[in-house]
């Protein structure tokens, strides 16, 4: 059973990060500012996290987990790679649309590549795990290694979403989702598929 104090501290820090990202870029946010807004002592912060970057990885993971929990609560089956990727894609679009300043302040503009890489890592993990499992179970054959597929697809997904939201892409949501799914499906060969 998780320690309630740790969970509360982490939740306070995540809420503070979300508020700060609504008003300023990630690089302009300090640990002191994060601690002050969350009412979490700096010493407590550093007992939980190595630095701001370490915390931001955790923060991105909580967003991913929240999106997946919401999908599961709505009855979506997320074991299948194709369903998982489609669900993550659609839910990220909705999250980014609901939090446009988050995109601009954490994934947009001149943001450091390490922030984008953290977001990619969180999404790639789920794709890689599902691709590996389905390949091992004979449910599909991959044309590339699972970890390559996870990083490539997640990186593309984040970059395309940034482009779509920040640069006023001419694609509709449906087109964006359809094109992304098409790329993923080209990397999978289901049993019975013919070349």
């Amino acid at each position: 059973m998780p320690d309630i104090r740790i969970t509360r501290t982490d939740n306070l820090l995540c809420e503070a990060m979300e508020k700060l990202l609504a008003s300023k870029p990630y690089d302009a946010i300090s640990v002191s500012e994060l601690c002050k807004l969350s009412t979490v002592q700096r010493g407590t912060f550093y007992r939980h996290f190595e630095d701001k970057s370490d915390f931001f990885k955790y923060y991105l993971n909580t967003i991913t987990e929240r999106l997946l929990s919401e999908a599961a609560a709505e009855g979506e089956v997320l074991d299948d790679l194709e369903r998982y990727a489609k669900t993550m894609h659609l839910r990220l679009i909705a999250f980014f649309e609901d939090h446009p300043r988050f995109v601009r302040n954490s994934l947009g503009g001149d943001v450091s590549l390490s922030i984008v890489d953290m977001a990619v890592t969180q999404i790639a993990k789920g794709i890689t795990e599902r691709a590996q499992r389905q390949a091992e179970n004979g449910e599909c054959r991959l044309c590339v290694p699972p970890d390559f597929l996870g990083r490539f697809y997640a990186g593309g997904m984040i970059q395309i979403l940034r482009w779509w939201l920040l640069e006023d892409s001419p694609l509709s949501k449906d087109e964006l989702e359809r094109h992304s799914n098409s790329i993923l499906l080209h990397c999978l060969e289901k049993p019975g598929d013919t070349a």
Side-chain angles (χ1 to χ4, degrees):
M1 182 173 182
D3 186 326
I4 294 171
R5 290 172 299 173
I6 293 172
T7 302
R8 181 178 178 280
T9 297
D10 293 349
N11 288 341
L12 288 170
L13 287 166
C14 287
E15 289 169 13
M17 179 59 85
E18 195 160 319
K19 287 177 186 172
L20 289 168
L21 284 172
S23 62
K24 59 172 54 178
Y26 170 82
D27 290 336
I29 297 170
S30 68
V31 170
S32 295
E33 191 174 21
L34 184 62
C35 289
K36 183 177 180 182
L37 184 59
S38 66
T39 66
V40 171
Q41 299 294 318
R42 281 178 60 91
T44 302
F45 176 89
Y46 285 110
R47 277 195 299 277
H48 292 255
F49 304 101
E50 189 174 309
D51 54 21
K52 183 176 78 167
S53 180
D54 185 40
F55 167 71
F56 199 70
K57 288 178 198 172
Y58 173 82
Y59 173 69
L60 290 174
N61 189 55
T62 63
I63 292 171
T64 304
E65 291 302 319
R66 184 174 66 212
L67 295 176
L68 292 174
S69 293
E70 289 168 1
E74 293 171 16
E76 293 187 41
V77 179
L78 301 171
D79 290 341
D80 177 80
L81 173 61
E82 186 178 347
R83 287 183 196 150
Y84 173 83
K86 183 176 182 176
T87 296
M88 280 305 297
H89 195 86
L90 292 173
R91 291 196 178 257
L92 280 172
I93 289 172
F95 178 82
F96 285 2
E97 282 184 318
D98 291 344
H99 301 84
R101 289 189 177 174
F102 170 89
V103 176
R104 281 182 182 74
N105 290 331
S106 64
L107 301 176
D110 295 330
V111 71
S112 72
L113 289 176
S114 64
I115 302 305
V116 174
D117 191 51
M118 285 184 237
V120 168
T121 300
Q122 293 306 317
I123 296 166
K125 185 172 75 173
I127 292 170
T128 300
E129 290 169 356
R130 284 159 181 82
Q132 176 103 32
R133 185 175 56 247
Q134 283 185 242
E136 287 172 355
N137 292 341
E139 297 170 30
C140 69
R141 198 179 93 222
L142 302 173
C143 65
V144 295
D147 54 341
F148 179 90
L149 175 62
R151 294 288 295 188
F152 183 83
Y153 186 79
M157 181 191 300
I158 292 294
Q159 291 298 340
I160 289 297
L161 287 174
R162 287 177 71 201
W163 168 69
W164 186 71
L165 289 164
L166 298 174
E167 297 180 33
D168 204 26
S169 163
L171 296 177
S172 70
K173 266 195 236 185
D174 290 339
E175 290 171 315
L176 186 69
E177 190 272 321
R178 189 174 67 247
H179 294 321
S180 297
N181 236 13
S182 176
I183 290 169
L184 179 66
L185 293 176
H186 276 81
C187 295
L188 303 175
E189 184 179 304
K190 303 271 179 145
D193 286 353
T194 55

